[in-house]
Amino acid sequence: MSAPTHTRPRPATRGHVDIRLPWWALALPALAFVSLLLLILNPSDAHAAAGDPALNQLVERLRDLAAG
């Protein structure tokens, strides 16, 4: 007759919850905040783009911000 084997129970966690966010979960709200802040600072630029590519506008905006 074989005796039953007992497995050790797992130790209980002490209330520690490990939640990891993907990188875009922080980057997208930050990007939206910065873009809305830029529109508030200069609302005349809030019109639809006529013919300038968005990348050129972004570079010009960054240059303006860096200049002060």
Side-chain angles (χ1 to χ4, degrees):
M1 180 166 22
S2 61
T5 59
H6 297 287
T7 59
R8 299 182 98 169
R10 292 183 181 173
T13 59
R14 299 184 181 200
H16 183 270
V17 178
D18 188 21
I19 298 175
R20 294 181 184 245
L21 293 174
W23 64 270
W24 50 264
L26 296 175
L28 290 180
L31 181 65
F33 175 77
V34 169
S35 62
L36 289 174
L37 182 63
L38 291 175
L39 285 176
I40 290 172
L41 291 176
N42 195 358
S44 65
D45 288 342
H47 58 80
D52 295 336
L55 184 60
N56 288 340
Q57 290 179 356
L58 178 65
V59 171
E60 289 176 5
R61 176 78 67 185
L62 290 174
R63 190 180 317 141
D64 291 342
L65 287 173

